[in-house]
Amino acid sequence: MDFNLPGENDPRRVEIRRWFEENPSPTYKQIADRGLAAANWPAPWGLGADPELQYIIEEEFVRAGIPTPHSINAIAVNQCGQSLLAYGTEAQRERFLPPALACDEIWCMLFSEPSGGSDVAAVRTTARREGDHYIINGQKIWNSAADYASVGVVVARTDPSVPKHKGLSQFLIDMKSPGITVNPIHDMTGEKPEYNEVFLDNVKVPADRLLGREGQGWQITVEQLQTERAGMTKPGAVWGFGPTARELVHGLIETGKIKDPQFRDEAARLYIEGELLRLLVYRGMSNRINGTPAGIEGNVGKMVASPHGQQISDLAKRTQGMAGLVRNPDVLPLPDKSYGLFSNWDYSFWFGPAATLGVGTQEILKNTVAEQVLGLPREVDSTALIAFADANKPNIQAAA
Amino acid sequence: MNFALSEDHVALRDSAASFLDKEVDLSPLLKHGATVADAGYDRMWGKIVDLGWPAMTIQEAYGGLGMDCTDLIMIVGEMGRTLAPSPLFGTLAGSWAIEAAGSEEQKERLLGAVAGGELKLALAVASPAGDLSDPGAGVNSKRADGGYVLNGCKGFVVDAASADTIVVGAESDQGNRFYLVDANAPGVSIEVLDWRDITRQVCSVSFNGAAATLLEGSTEGAWEWVRDRLYLVLAAESSAGIGVVLADAVDYAKQRTAFGKPIGAFQAIKHQLAEIVGQRELANAAVQYAAWAISSNAPDASKAVAMAQSYASDAYKAATYRNIQVFGAIGFTWEMKNHLYYKRARANSELLGSARDQREQVVRMLEREAA
């Protein structure tokens, strides 16, 4: 057992750092060509990096002051791009991956729908084959980056005559296609909208944009959501990102607010939980290096990390009392570090309720952990075994 | 970086598990009115000595096995998982106190005797009221006849009645020092407390002119050094305890039916048990990291053990509470073992100070780092 993280003189680190020194302001194309955009992917896309090397690369991006490609093009680099390696055609990889990794084409995910959040498989958007095209119709919601993305990864129903999990397919669509309307959603933060709703009205998609086979959509979607959850287990304020309890404690020490006995104990409790979440992240890395199957850690980690993040933003807010109710991005001093969206406590706090909603509500996650980790009985879904077309007829649902 | 246990660690844990599964019998404790006197507290000790457990962390130079704290928690975790009634805690505590405060000659002689299974120890630090902030509180030492005599009282001494020798923190004109006292010497009286956790022997000890020997290397920081290791021991017990009470609750929730289905099918049950999974994983990571930090003298070792102890003791309490709730009223009866875990969890969260005390220690370390 060895808990030492890769050190300053680690030869892998030295090599990466030298590249950043020789290329102080690289383009994202250069970064991608060097294999650093998705280092964990196999060549020629990445370096086939193990999690330790990934950790080093991440740190060197921070040191160089360059936002990582996965923070700019998260859906392509983190969640969905890898599906092309497993399920895509050679032509799809050549067409989509180079511009995605170079951050020239931003991707968005078009999964959730107004009629079903937690019940992801109950997708109503349809894709109908017509000659060498599919025609897609439906409405999607909670889509980050849809307002500026070039590529949309859409889950649609290609076969309503089979049960809901079996009739889904995934497509890579051109977001500039006729028939796509994107509207921003003004969320409760009142800040620049993060999410959009997307209407798909007879959108014509070439048949070669189908990812994998018809009916494989659910399998691909589940893998992508697992990947997304695993990324959300860090100790930051919102979905693992943003300021952590470490920074909260530093801010409280700097302002003297740590002297308040109640804040003090709560801050310590959160600090400890945050450090332990960090250990879980490292343990996950270590498991992957050792080839131990990942499986549960994403779900368990997110289940702990989401309320943890809400609690640290809440404490940061409460230490400000009434003053914390005034819109103000500088509630407590934070280190001069960019966290993108979540660079201040104020936004982290008001965005907080989303943390236990997005990418699976807390309740769905707990079901998943109870069923998959503890082997407790699965929730009965009366619509899972009947044709999707029949699932919304009340009499059939009652009988099932 | 490698967070996985080595094959040696796993083998050590598995052999401890199979030994304890065979040897530990809690059934005498599940009869109404049972006390620690029914636990067979010293019954396994000979076999534990044969397995070398008291010798594990004693240096080879003193006749021990020279293993580290990560090795040790493989054993201690299994002791916690099975609630094994046995005076290992006291002997570990006393051995560490001798390592921290003894002279070379004392370490060689006493630790050699512990490693050889000839000496059982206990460590008396708490004041009669249970205050641990001053390890000398409650007892004072005076020079007499070329040695020392102790007067006063110590509270909450684990394994004192089983011990041959008690290591006692006492006030002297030199400040706090550690002394050795023969548990059977005149002037020493040991009372086994009616401690709620009947799987552990906890005593109060009074000294009335008892002859004592100074641990000659005693320094002011010795207690903190020992306490850090004891935090790790309790945290390892608690972490393993969370695992077993969760597993028991899950098994029960799968078997017990109500309203036509296993109660584990209800989200009210599932969600609560899922919460415990998260706490089990964090406690486990905390303990393994803390053991590694202590073993490798990492600069944050003190912080790591305080974090592990505070987190694991809180989580253990939550898990044992949930365990009884899932079992329902049967889990509240004396004949079930659920209460033994509930009581161990409660005791582990007080025996070395509260979780809040350890959090205070963590904050102070953070304040010092920031200064």
Side-chain angles (χ1 to χ4, degrees):
Chain A
M1 197 156 64
D2 173 12
F3 287 81
N4 280 309
L5 293 168
E8 285 299 298
N9 298 322
D10 188 297
R12 297 168 295 179
R13 186 189 293 283
V14 172
E15 189 187 329
I16 301 295
R17 191 177 299 168
R18 188 179 317 124
W19 188 81
F20 277 111
E21 279 162 9
E22 287 163 4
N23 301 276
S25 20
T27 64
Y28 281 100
K29 169 125 189 1
Q30 288 172 312
I31 289 171
D33 289 345
R34 178 63 180 77
L36 300 178
N40 58 319
W41 295 14
W45 315 107
L47 303 173
D50 69 17
E52 213 166 27
L53 178 55
Q54 269 182 278
Y55 173 86
I56 290 172
I57 291 170
E58 191 106 343
E59 287 201 323
E60 293 306 314
F61 266 104
V62 173
R63 188 190 306 263
I66 298 168
T68 56
H70 66 73
S71 67
I72 292 173
N73 203 4
I75 303 301
V77 178
N78 277 347
Q79 284 96 326
C80 296
Q82 288 184 79
S83 302
L84 270 67
L85 302 182
Y87 301 97
T89 62
E90 195 52 45
Q92 286 173 335
R93 286 191 279 272
E94 288 304 327
R95 159 64 189 84
F96 286 102
L97 294 182
L101 295 177
C103 299
D104 288 333
E105 285 188 352
I106 302 300
W107 292 21
C108 67
M109 241 174 176
L110 303 172
F111 288 15
S112 295
E113 298 189 357
S115 62
S118 292
D119 190 359
V120 192
V123 160
R124 294 184 181 193
T125 296
T126 58
R128 192 179 72 247
R129 181 79 187 238
E130 276 190 8
D132 56 0
H133 284 80
Y134 286 88
I135 306 296
I136 299 186
N137 277 288
Q139 186 191 348
K140 297 290 180 178
I141 196 166
W142 307 120
N143 315 112
S144 292
D147 48 339
Y148 59 91
S150 317
V151 176
V153 183
V154 61
V155 186
R157 188 164 305 281
T158 40
D159 186 357
S161 73
V162 294
K164 63 182 181 182
H165 296 95
K166 295 189 162 53
L168 300 175
S169 303
Q170 268 202 8
F171 299 88
L172 298 159
I173 68 169
D174 179 353
M175 290 297 286
K176 305 288 179 310
S177 308
I180 297 181
T181 310
V182 179
N183 297 325
I185 297 172
H186 297 282
D187 65 61
M188 64 173 272
T189 64
E191 304 292 340
K192 182 181 166 296
E194 163 68 10
Y195 296 108
N196 302 279
E197 57 179 357
V198 177
F199 293 88
L200 301 148
D201 182 14
N202 286 316
V203 178
K204 204 173 161 190
V205 178
D208 64 7
R209 297 298 167 86
L210 170 70
L211 182 55
R213 297 187 313 274
E214 275 195 23
Q216 236 176 354
W218 177 246
Q219 180 187 346
I220 299 172
T221 301
V222 167
E223 287 176 16
Q224 291 163 348
L225 291 176
Q226 292 284 3
T227 309
E228 191 173 18
R229 285 176 190 167
M232 293 182 160
T233 64
K234 293 175 201 157
V238 184
W239 290 318
F241 305 99
T244 64
R246 267 189 200 177
E247 285 148 328
L248 173 61
V249 167
H250 289 153
L252 294 175
I253 290 173
E254 206 173 316
T255 52
K257 292 180 189 294
I258 197 79
K259 301 286 180 213
D260 177 287
Q262 194 185 331
F263 295 155
R264 188 175 179 84
D265 187 54
E266 224 176 305
R269 190 186 68 72
L270 290 168
Y271 173 87
I272 290 167
E273 193 173 66
E275 293 305 293
L276 301 184
L277 274 166
R278 225 179 274 275
L279 286 176
L280 275 200
V281 174
Y282 297 151
R283 193 171 75 180
M285 273 201 287
S286 168
N287 284 345
R288 278 176 284 142
I289 293 171
N290 290 332
T292 316
I296 67 162
E297 68 205 17
N299 289 320
V300 175
K302 183 181 185 293
M303 181 185 79
V304 180
S306 296
H308 169 80
Q310 290 172 338
Q311 288 164 28
I312 58 178
S313 313
D314 181 67
L315 180 58
K317 217 14 134 181
R318 278 189 292 124
T319 59
Q320 303 304 306
M322 274 192 268
L325 269 296
V326 180
R327 183 184 293 203
N328 172 11
D330 299 308
V331 177
L332 273 177
L334 274 172
D336 186 22
K337 206 165 169 181
S338 171
Y339 288 117
L341 272 182
F342 309 113
S343 280
N344 64 71
W345 290 115
D346 191 56
Y347 187 72
S348 297
F349 175 78
W350 297 112
F351 197 87
T356 42
L357 298 172
V359 200
T361 62
Q362 189 72 353
E363 289 73 19
I364 290 291
L365 267 182
K366 286 181 182 176
N367 281 352
T368 307
V369 170
E371 291 165 12
Q372 294 185 3
V373 181
L374 298 176
L376 289 166
R378 297 185 74 88
E379 292 299 307
V380 178
D381 177 357
S382 61
T383 66
L385 298 174
I386 55 174
F388 183 76
D390 295 331
N392 295 306
K393 295 173 185 164
N395 53 335
I396 291 182
Q397 241 184 9
Chain B
M1 181 178 76
N2 185 2
F3 276 39
L5 295 174
S6 70
E7 282 176 22
D8 288 350
H9 289 140
V10 172
L12 194 56
R13 186 186 63 197
D14 290 351
S15 72
S18 61
F19 167 75
L20 291 167
D21 282 338
K22 190 156 57 74
E23 293 291 326
V24 176
D25 177 15
L26 298 177
S27 61
L29 297 177
L30 300 179
K31 295 188 178 76
H32 166 70
T35 70
V36 70
D38 303 299
Y41 206 68
D42 295 303
R43 189 173 47 79
M44 280 187 293
W45 187 252
K47 289 179 181 168
I48 284 178
V49 167
D50 291 343
L51 289 168
W53 294 355
M56 277 180 79
T57 53
I58 292 174
Q59 294 171 32
E60 285 169 288
Y62 305 131
L65 298 173
M67 296 165 87
D68 67 22
C69 279
T70 307
D71 300 313
L72 181 69
I73 63 164
M74 298 299 116
I75 304 298
V76 168
E78 291 307 309
M79 298 275 289
R81 182 181 64 81
T82 53
L83 297 181
S86 182
L88 185 64
F89 183 95
T91 296
L92 288 172
S95 301
W96 279 320
I98 291 167
E99 186 178 343
S103 67
E104 275 306 305
E105 183 278 324
Q106 286 172 321
K107 289 188 214 181
E108 212 164 291
R109 181 166 48 83
L110 296 162
L111 296 179
V114 170
E118 297 138 28
L119 188 60
K120 279 188 283 187
L121 299 171
L123 176 64
V125 280
S127 74
D131 183 4
L132 286 159
S133 57
D134 172 6
V139 175
N140 62 66
S141 81
K142 282 198 182 67
R143 283 185 175 277
D145 305 332
Y148 295 85
V149 292
L150 301 188
N151 284 289
C153 216
K154 283 288 188 185
F156 312 102
V157 185
V158 176
D159 299 340
S162 291
D164 306 301
T165 297
I166 304 173
V167 182
V168 185
E171 289 163 352
S172 76
D173 46 15
Q174 312 284 304
N176 289 326
R177 292 290 180 265
F178 282 108
Y179 298 84
L180 299 167
V181 176
D182 181 345
N184 301 309
V188 178
S189 93
I190 299 171
E191 182 201 350
V192 179
L193 297 174
D194 195 3
W195 185 252
R196 284 287 189 180
D197 171 12
I198 58 175
T199 60
R200 180 158 270 157
Q201 181 196 77
V202 181
C203 310
S204 68
V205 184
S206 61
F207 305 93
N208 187 6
T213 310
L214 176 68
L215 281 181
E216 286 155 12
S218 285
T219 52
E220 292 290 335
W223 162 235
E224 282 72 18
W225 188 90
V226 175
R227 188 195 58 196
D228 282 353
R229 279 147 188 80
L230 297 177
Y231 278 164
L232 178 64
V233 167
L234 287 195
E237 282 184 3
S238 298
S239 170
I242 295 167
V244 71
V245 298
L246 174 61
D248 287 350
V250 168
D251 285 347
Y252 190 76
K254 287 176 182 170
Q255 288 161 20
R256 172 82 176 177
T257 59
F259 308 105
K261 53 183 174 179
I263 61 170
F266 293 102
Q267 289 189 346
I269 304 277
K270 286 166 93 167
H271 287 190
Q272 294 292 345
L273 294 174
E275 287 273 349
I276 308 292
V277 173
Q279 295 179 7
R280 178 191 67 188
E281 294 305 302
L282 262 60
N284 191 271
V287 167
Q288 286 189 10
Y289 180 77
W292 174 83
I294 287 279
S295 305
S296 55
N297 282 317
D300 65 339
S302 284
K303 189 163 73 185
V305 289
M307 290 186 358
Q309 165 61 1
S310 80
Y311 187 87
S313 73
D314 272 350
Y316 197 13
K317 282 194 291 184
T320 54
Y321 169 81
R322 185 55 49 196
N323 165 282
I324 290 179
Q325 186 69 21
V326 168
F327 272 77
I330 191 72
F332 172 69
T333 62
W334 191 282
E335 70 185 61
M336 298 290 284
K337 65 179 180 172
N338 309 57
H339 69 105
L340 298 179
Y341 285 94
Y342 186 86
K343 291 166 180 171
R344 171 62 69 89
R346 193 77 197 78
N348 277 7
S349 71
E350 300 288 355
L351 208 46
L352 296 170
S354 70
R356 187 169 176 153
D357 292 340
Q358 289 119 32
R359 288 194 290 268
E360 176 62 26
Q361 288 162 5
V362 170
V363 180
R364 286 187 188 182
M365 289 183 240
L366 294 172
E367 285 176 323
R368 276 200 298 277
E369 283 170 22

